[in-house]
Amino acid sequence: MKLPLTPISSTDALLEFDIWLTPTLGEIRDTERFNKEMESAVRIFEVLGRTTDKFSLKKRPDISKIAEAVEVEIANSDKKSAKKFLTSISDLIYLVSGKSDNNCKCQLPIYIRQKNILNSMPVVSKGCLNYLDWPRVIKAEQFMTIVANLEKYTDIQTELLREFFEFTLSDDAYLSQLWAIGNCYYSLKPYNKEKSLLSPLVIFKIRGSVTASGGHNPEQLLRTMMTDWGMKQGVDFNNDDVVINTAAARKKADSSDRTKVRKYDFILPYNTVGWQPKLFVQCQFYAGDSGSVSHKNVDQTSSARRFTVNHLFVEYVDGAGYFASLNGDLKTLLQMKNTHSFFQIKSAPIRLRRELQRIGFLTDLELEHALLKFDGDKTQAVKALAEYGYTISEIERVFTSAVDDGNILKTEKHKFSLSETRMEMSRRYLILDTVAVNGKTVSTQKSSGYVLVPGFGPFYGLKLKDIPNLVAQYAPSLKPAIGNTTRFLDDIEWLSKQGYIMMS
């Protein structure tokens, strides 16, 4: 269906944002990053436990035991694995001691110089050991990369490890803290509670990188939605961030002006045949107060847009942060003169699809709806899509692709049907579009019995009881499916669980 372009005030747009907000995308403990870091932490304590008698409190904590255990662990690892393990253990030591890499990166080179451990920095290059001057600043990751590369020089490797641990655990209190946690870890293992002890450490380590999004990737959620619409990953939409390679952007990046050239999370269409990118989408999801990052993004958004012309800027914004302390940043983004539109996770199926329709980009989903309307008649479907504003070449592009992919099946000379895998998705979206096309603004006091959708202000929808008849009128071939109460309610439940509709 052609989704209506209904102008709304900035006030109503912000009210809609509040109503259709996704506060967070889950707990940090549910993320893949948390699970990987937990596995790493468990491995570290298991490794250290082998040479410390499970962090026995009967013996004096010994740093040399830590260095010995680590060196044994990485002895049979490749460089990449060794570096990853070494970096993980340095992160853990920082957590236990309360030290930070920002301070230690400055202090470690001084410590090495003053102790005269190695007058020069050992570096392996092309299989040979060379010595360079120690830098004035060296981060733990850089230091551990040097250590990992010394796989053929184990004496030097062990010496550097021992000195690193003596530096980071220089106070007996730091060493006692590590031993106390390690001892508790092994004390809890018989009760399968050792991960509960490590959980706060892991969360503390990764919280900065995952709390902004609530732990999950809103970009991946959008990719899943666009796939549901029939768009192809790597063709119609990009897999990774894109830097726009314009002459102005290159000149800006190479000039003395240090303004950062902005990457875009999505440019749509991406590499579709016959298309140049039109929609530039920046994703910003804040589940909490990430003020400094958000303010910086607002500034970068404004500056980067000056060097990207003849495109439409669409903001993909969501999260509790924008409802609360970052609400001012949200208003600034949406009220920029060159902000074309915005959408949220729950409103993408209406708002972003509407923008794609607006530029004349056809998706499989819109083609499928046209075929459903005319009982699979291609001639009538093409005519209807052309009346919506799509070019004949664009219609043929999508039609050919859909047939090649098996999403649309030829039944007669000019008749086509949807594959089973596409029929359910198309029917559910047709219900959503029916509400969007036939709905109206609803008073909050008189909204009982309505199905509400975003994209048209805070409260906009259609009576639930009216939907089946309107869907059947648009696509008579769907009357049996829509008339099946169980199936219809299943479709409504799916749309509600996805967050694309609300029941009032």
Side-chain angles (χ1 to χ4, degrees):
M1 285 187 180
K2 187 75 170 180
L3 298 169
L5 288 168
T6 306
I8 60 175
S9 67
S10 59
T11 299
D12 281 346
L14 289 168
L15 285 172
E16 178 187 319
F17 180 91
D18 291 349
I19 295 297
W20 292 91
L21 182 76
T22 300
T24 181
L25 293 176
E27 296 296 330
I28 295 177
R29 290 183 180 87
D30 299 329
T31 65
E32 183 180 358
R33 173 79 187 280
F34 175 86
N35 291 329
K36 287 183 177 180
E37 293 292 345
M38 176 60 76
E39 289 176 6
S40 178
V42 168
R43 180 187 174 193
I44 290 169
F45 279 98
E46 291 293 331
V47 167
L48 298 184
R50 293 172 197 155
T51 57
T52 60
D53 192 19
K54 299 181 180 179
F55 291 91
S56 172
L57 298 180
K58 297 178 181 179
K59 299 179 181 179
R60 187 178 185 281
D62 188 349
I63 285 179
S64 63
K65 293 291 186 180
I66 298 176
E68 176 187 336
V70 173
E71 197 280 323
V72 169
E73 180 67 12
I74 65 174
N76 297 316
S77 301
D78 59 76
K79 290 180 182 178
K80 184 177 180 181
S81 299
K83 176 189 170 183
K84 186 176 180 181
F85 178 75
L86 291 170
T87 301
S88 294
I89 199 167
S90 65
D91 289 343
L92 179 68
I93 297 297
Y94 284 155
L95 283 173
V96 169
S97 66
K99 292 186 175 181
S100 72
D101 199 23
N102 279 339
N103 289 339
C104 290
K105 70 182 181 182
C106 301
Q107 298 168 9
L108 180 57
I110 298 172
Y111 173 84
I112 292 173
R113 291 169 186 269
Q114 290 179 344
K115 283 201 67 174
N116 291 319
I117 303 162
L118 289 171
N119 293 327
S120 300
M121 179 174 65
V123 177
V124 177
S125 177
K126 297 181 180 181
C128 298
L129 181 63
N130 299 301
Y131 287 90
L132 305 175
D133 291 338
W134 284 101
R136 290 180 176 272
V137 174
I138 184 165
K139 292 186 175 182
E141 184 177 0
Q142 295 171 293
F143 186 88
M144 290 307 183
T145 299
I146 294 170
V147 174
N149 290 338
L150 290 166
E151 55 183 349
K152 295 181 180 179
Y153 306 92
T154 55
D155 290 344
I156 302 175
Q157 190 178 60
T158 303
E159 184 177 5
L160 286 178
L161 282 173
R162 185 173 60 252
E163 295 302 335
F164 178 83
F165 292 130
E166 286 188 358
F167 165 71
T168 51
L169 299 170
S170 56
D171 192 294
D172 284 344
Y174 298 149
L175 198 54
S176 293
Q177 286 165 202
L178 175 62
W179 240 253
I181 294 174
N183 183 267
C184 289
Y185 171 87
Y186 279 97
S187 297
L188 291 169
K189 280 195 72 174
Y191 309 99
N192 294 319
K193 295 294 184 181
E194 70 275 16
K195 290 184 179 180
S196 297
L197 174 71
L198 301 182
S199 184
L201 289 175
V202 174
I203 290 174
F204 187 82
K205 176 184 175 182
I206 67 175
R207 73 195 189 288
S209 59
V210 298
T211 49
S213 66
H216 292 268
N217 189 346
E219 297 167 32
Q220 188 55 46
L221 292 177
L222 183 58
R223 291 188 182 97
T224 300
M225 280 187 265
M226 290 190 287
T227 301
D228 288 344
W229 308 341
M231 296 174 69
K232 295 180 180 179
Q233 186 166 305
V235 178
D236 299 322
F237 61 90
N238 48 290
N239 299 318
D240 303 299
D241 292 354
V242 177
V243 176
I244 305 307
N245 191 26
T246 63
R250 289 197 303 273
K251 181 179 179 182
K252 183 70 176 176
D254 295 338
S255 71
S256 58
D257 190 329
R258 305 302 294 177
T259 301
K260 182 180 179 181
V261 176
R262 191 68 184 268
K263 293 181 180 180
Y264 288 90
D265 296 294
F266 296 96
I267 57 172
L268 306 172
Y270 179 49
N271 275 329
T272 309
V273 174
W275 278 93
Q276 293 294 323
K278 295 287 186 181
L279 303 177
F280 282 40
V281 179
Q282 191 64 40
C283 172
Q284 300 187 62
F285 190 106
Y286 294 107
D289 184 355
S290 299
S292 60
V293 178
S294 176
H295 303 334
K296 183 179 179 181
N297 281 336
V298 171
D299 294 338
Q300 289 179 350
T301 296
S302 178
S303 60
R305 287 182 181 180
R306 289 181 291 153
F307 302 97
T308 311
V309 295
N310 299 323
H311 299 99
L312 301 175
F313 298 104
V314 181
E315 291 294 321
Y316 178 22
V317 285
D318 220 332
Y322 276 131
F323 175 85
S325 57
L326 305 179
N327 195 248
D329 286 352
L330 173 68
K331 292 177 181 178
T332 300
L333 281 172
L334 301 190
Q335 291 171 1
M336 286 182 181
K337 291 182 179 180
N338 52 7
T339 296
H340 176 69
S341 185
F342 80 96
F343 64 93
Q344 298 163 263
I345 292 170
K346 295 175 182 177
S347 63
I350 296 289
R351 283 185 164 273
L352 183 56
R353 282 178 57 226
R354 186 166 59 191
E355 295 306 328
L356 292 169
Q357 292 179 359
R358 196 171 184 175
I359 64 173
F361 182 83
L362 184 64
T363 65
D364 285 19
L365 187 63
E366 320 307 335
L367 173 61
E368 291 161 2
H369 285 178
L371 288 171
L372 287 172
K373 181 176 183 180
F374 297 105
D375 196 24
D377 189 296
K378 178 183 177 181
T379 303
Q380 289 183 287
V382 170
K383 181 180 178 182
L385 290 169
E387 290 175 353
Y388 286 159
Y390 297 107
T391 64
I392 297 299
S393 61
E394 175 68 358
I395 297 169
E396 286 300 327
R397 176 189 70 80
V398 177
F399 202 96
T400 300
S401 175
V403 171
D404 290 344
D405 293 341
N407 292 332
I408 293 176
L409 309 173
K410 189 172 184 178
T411 55
E412 298 176 28
K413 186 175 182 180
H414 295 292
K415 286 269 194 172
F416 293 82
S417 65
L418 275 59
S419 67
E420 290 185 14
T421 56
R422 289 301 304 168
M423 177 59 80
E424 184 176 66
M425 186 65 67
S426 295
R427 186 181 68 243
R428 288 169 170 174
Y429 267 91
L430 189 57
I431 292 172
L432 178 70
D433 290 3
T434 296
V435 179
V437 170
N438 298 280
K440 64 179 182 179
T441 300
V442 179
S443 168
T444 54
Q445 287 78 30
K446 300 178 181 180
S447 62
S448 179
Y450 276 82
V451 173
L452 304 177
V453 297
F456 307 94
F459 299 101
Y460 178 94
L462 187 66
K463 282 280 190 180
L464 176 63
K465 65 181 181 62
D466 295 335
I467 295 175
N469 286 337
L470 289 170
V471 172
Q473 288 174 22
Y474 178 86
S477 62
L478 288 181
K479 189 172 182 178
I482 293 298
N484 183 318
T485 303
T486 300
R487 181 174 294 174
F488 173 68
L489 291 179
D490 283 346
D491 290 345
I492 291 292
E493 182 181 11
W494 183 85
L495 290 167
S496 180
K497 282 184 176 180
Q498 300 302 310
Y500 303 158
I501 65 172
M502 288 185 189
M503 307 297 296
S504 67

